[in-house]
């Protein structure tokens, strides 16, 4: 008895390499691209521990929870870390990065999250990249949430280490991820005596056993189903056109923001300036008398398939997140989310305008 998932022929090295080439095409990069066999935390941590060490002086930008995590990894690696924390309702600016270099000219490593799905903001990477290049620092970027929702261009932006995952805007699997690595980044890793070796976190091991060996023999058995799912999602993006996919996410963000404002009931965009709002997900602040986690729970009871979540940690009291990414980057998903949130707010005695919200969302989408 055969099974379509369990009885597949082995994934060849050539096909694995071809999927890496598709990722490189999506990123428009000529850098080396590695598909790592695990969720994106694997290359995110591996890249920091490979490129940073006791001699590193890092500028770590915090615009959400992942920036805090990167600072912890950098300190664990022995780096001297200067945190640049920005309120979660805003984005960091290139001028703030420039000021940090002026205060600490010895900075040689910059870590940044492109879009924070957890807080709903997105950072101007192209402008920041210009500043980082001026000072010759290595540029590390978490583009897991942004890829597929907005452009991610490591070469054009001067990004040396760019990590992506397929599980959000790309609408793909969570079990594999990818990283593009510049020649400068490989050289920094090779010169770092503290870089992981003979380890699942080691990017240098992959380089030596896979890239330098001509990508002819896989170093170990690949995560076959996840690799095939990644290939399928890349093919779907290619068929639709990357700009079309990104346009859907931009429209979903506009519609959610406009609809939430028109809904009233005290709901308002968490990210103050629309220019700072990420197209991958929209975060909303609830009125003071409402607990966001309870509001989301009530909305999900009405429609369990909605792309709604409360903020993490302390944000669970004040933030609702509408995850309009991947297959949920649709007007229907936005309208259903607004309808359920309106009903949940009305259930707590707040005056809402659901018809106005749906009308505003439709107008903003188009």
């Amino acid at each position: 008895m055969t099974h379509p998932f369990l009885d597949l022929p082995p994934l060849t090295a050539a096909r694995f390499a071809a999927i890496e080439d598709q990722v490189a095409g999506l990123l428009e990069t000529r850098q080396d691209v590695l598909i790592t066999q695990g969720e994106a935390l694997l290359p995110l941590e591996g890249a920091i521990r490979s490129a940073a060490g006791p001699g590193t002086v890092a500028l770590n930008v915090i615009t959400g929870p992942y920036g805090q995590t990167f600072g912890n990894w950098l300190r664990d690696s022995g780096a001297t870390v200067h945190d640049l924390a920005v309120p979660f309702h805003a984005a960091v600016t290139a001028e703030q990065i420039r000021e940090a270099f002026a205060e600490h000219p010895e900075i040689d490593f910059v870590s940044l999250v492109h879009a924070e799905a957890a807080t709903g903001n997105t950072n101007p990477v192209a402008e920041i990249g210009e500043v980082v290049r001026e000072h010759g620092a290595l540029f590390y970027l978490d583009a897991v949430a942004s890829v597929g929702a907005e452009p991610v261009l490591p070469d054009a932006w001067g990004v040396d280490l760019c990590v992506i995952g397929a599980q959000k805007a790309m609408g793909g699997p969570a079990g594999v991820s990818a990283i593009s690595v510049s020649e400068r980044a490989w050289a920094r890793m090779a010169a770092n005596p503290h870089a992981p070796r003979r380890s699942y976190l080691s990017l240098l091991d992959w380089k030596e056993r896979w890239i330098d060996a001509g990508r002819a023999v896989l170093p170990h058995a690949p995560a076959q189903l996840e690799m095939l799912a990644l290939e399928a999602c890349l093919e779907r993006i290619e068929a639709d056109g990357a700009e079309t996919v990104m346009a859907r996410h931009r429209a979903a963000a506009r519609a959610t923001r406009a609809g939430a404002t028109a809904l009233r009931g005290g709901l308002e965009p968490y990210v103050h300036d629309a220019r700072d709002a990420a197209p991958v997900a929209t975060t909303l602040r609830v009125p003071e008398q409402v607990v966001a986690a309870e509001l989301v729970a009530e909305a999900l009871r009405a429609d369990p398939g909605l792309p709604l979540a409360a903020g993490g940690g302390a944000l669970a009291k004040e933030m609702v997140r509408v995850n309009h990414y991947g297959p949920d980057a649709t007007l229907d998903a936005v309208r259903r989310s607004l309808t359920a949130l309106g009903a949940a707010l009305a259930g707590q005695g707040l005056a809402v305008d659901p018809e106005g919200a749906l009308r505003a969302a439709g107008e903003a989408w188009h």
Side-chain angles (χ1 to χ4, degrees):
M1 182 178 185
T2 60
H3 192 284
F5 292 149
L6 300 180
D7 300 307
L8 294 165
L11 189 72
T12 65
R15 192 167 183 182
F16 193 105
I19 299 171
E20 287 183 333
D21 292 342
Q22 286 179 286
V23 173
L26 178 65
L27 301 179
E28 298 183 28
T29 183
R30 300 183 68 178
Q31 297 179 7
D32 289 329
V33 169
L34 285 174
I35 295 179
T36 47
Q37 304 292 282
E39 200 270 340
L41 282 172
L42 170 63
L44 285 169
E45 182 175 0
I48 281 181
R49 297 192 183 277
S50 294
T56 302
V57 180
L59 173 63
N60 179 54
V61 182
I62 302 175
T63 56
Y66 280 100
Q68 294 170 330
T69 297
F70 300 158
N72 293 336
W73 288 339
L74 285 161
R75 290 182 176 90
D76 284 347
S77 299
T80 299
V81 182
H82 300 287
D83 287 324
L84 173 55
V86 177
F88 289 178
H89 62 252
V92 71
T93 66
E95 185 55 34
Q96 287 173 299
I97 302 295
R98 195 181 303 279
E99 290 170 359
F101 273 109
E103 186 175 355
H104 303 284
E106 69 277 16
I107 289 169
D108 62 2
F109 186 99
V110 175
S111 52
L112 175 71
V113 178
H114 186 184
E116 286 269 12
T119 51
N121 53 32
T122 191
N123 293 301
V125 183
E127 299 169 20
I128 291 169
E130 290 183 13
V131 179
V132 176
R133 278 199 303 272
E134 289 172 11
H135 292 84
L138 207 69
F139 193 8
Y140 163 101
L141 184 69
D142 171 355
V144 174
S146 56
V147 66
E150 53 188 308
V152 176
L153 303 169
D155 293 11
W157 298 344
V159 178
D160 296 287
L161 294 158
C162 182
V163 176
I164 69 165
Q167 69 268 32
K168 288 188 167 66
M170 289 177 65
V176 289
S177 47
I179 180 169
S180 65
V181 186
S182 72
E183 288 300 321
R184 288 196 330 140
W186 283 132
R188 180 78 68 95
M189 293 181 207
N192 180 11
H194 301 278
R197 300 307 302 263
R198 296 170 297 282
S199 164
Y200 205 59
L201 289 173
S202 177
L203 298 180
L204 286 171
D205 288 355
W206 262 100
K207 180 180 187 297
E208 291 178 1
R209 299 178 60 195
W210 173 242
I211 294 175
D212 293 350
R215 299 195 299 177
V217 178
L218 286 164
H220 54 68
Q224 173 143 319
L225 295 181
E226 287 82 358
M227 287 295 297
L228 295 177
L230 175 60
E231 181 183 50
C233 116
L234 288 162
E235 289 173 348
R236 184 166 59 184
I237 291 171
E238 289 174 4
D240 289 347
E243 178 51 42
T244 297
V245 175
M246 290 187 286
R248 284 200 296 264
H249 286 83
R250 291 194 299 269
R254 288 196 310 270
T256 303
R257 194 174 178 92
T261 301
L263 182 62
R264 302 180 181 173
L267 208 62
E268 59 185 27
Y270 191 89
V271 177
H272 295 178
D273 194 325
R275 292 175 301 177
D276 297 337
V280 67
T282 297
T283 48
L284 305 170
R285 189 184 298 276
V286 301
E288 288 185 6
Q289 67 270 38
V290 173
V291 176
E294 296 174 0
L295 188 74
V296 168
E298 181 62 27
L300 291 175
R301 272 192 286 272
D303 188 348
L306 291 173
L308 295 176
L315 295 175
K317 295 181 64 176
E318 63 184 38
M319 179 192 287
V320 171
R321 194 169 76 237
V322 185
N323 295 318
H324 46 66
Y325 54 68
D328 288 315
T330 66
L331 180 57
D332 178 65
V334 172
R335 290 169 61 93
R336 287 168 47 224
S337 297
L338 292 169
T339 298
L341 288 172
L345 286 166
Q348 297 199 23
L350 295 164
V352 294
D353 182 6
E355 292 183 1
L358 298 183
R359 185 167 54 251
E363 292 172 355
W365 181 278
H366 298 294

